[in-house]
Amino acid sequence: MMKYLVVIEKGGNSFGAYVPDLPGCAVVGESREEALQLIREAVELHISTIREQGAPIPEPVSTTEYVQV
């Protein structure tokens, strides 16, 4: 099992979520919870598609850090 970093961004009327280690894997939801549910589904589909193509699954390498200013 792999654990991927998900970035969640609040927009004007929605929440976006994407996975830096899986280019093109992004969703938009009306709430943070919806965006998280949708990105889980999108990651599963994204990885499934990569497997079907016979390509290697990208390793999760992104991390987070906070900078205090």
Side-chain angles (χ1 to χ4, degrees):
M1 177 177 271
M2 292 192 227
K3 189 174 183 178
Y4 288 95
L5 172 73
V6 173
V7 177
I8 303 168
E9 297 178 338
K10 184 175 184 334
N13 298 318
S14 62
F15 286 80
Y18 66 94
V19 180
D21 295 322
L22 299 173
C25 190
V27 300
V28 175
E30 291 184 14
S31 67
R32 185 178 193 281
E33 293 75 20
E34 182 183 25
L36 280 171
Q37 179 59 39
L38 291 173
I39 199 66
R40 281 186 194 96
E41 295 169 7
V43 167
E44 290 175 5
L45 180 61
H46 198 89
I47 290 174
S48 175
T49 300
I50 292 170
R51 281 192 179 122
E52 287 173 7
Q53 295 171 347
I57 306 299
E59 291 289 325
V61 295
S62 294
T63 62
T64 60
E65 189 65 48
Y66 288 92
V67 177
Q68 187 172 358
V69 294

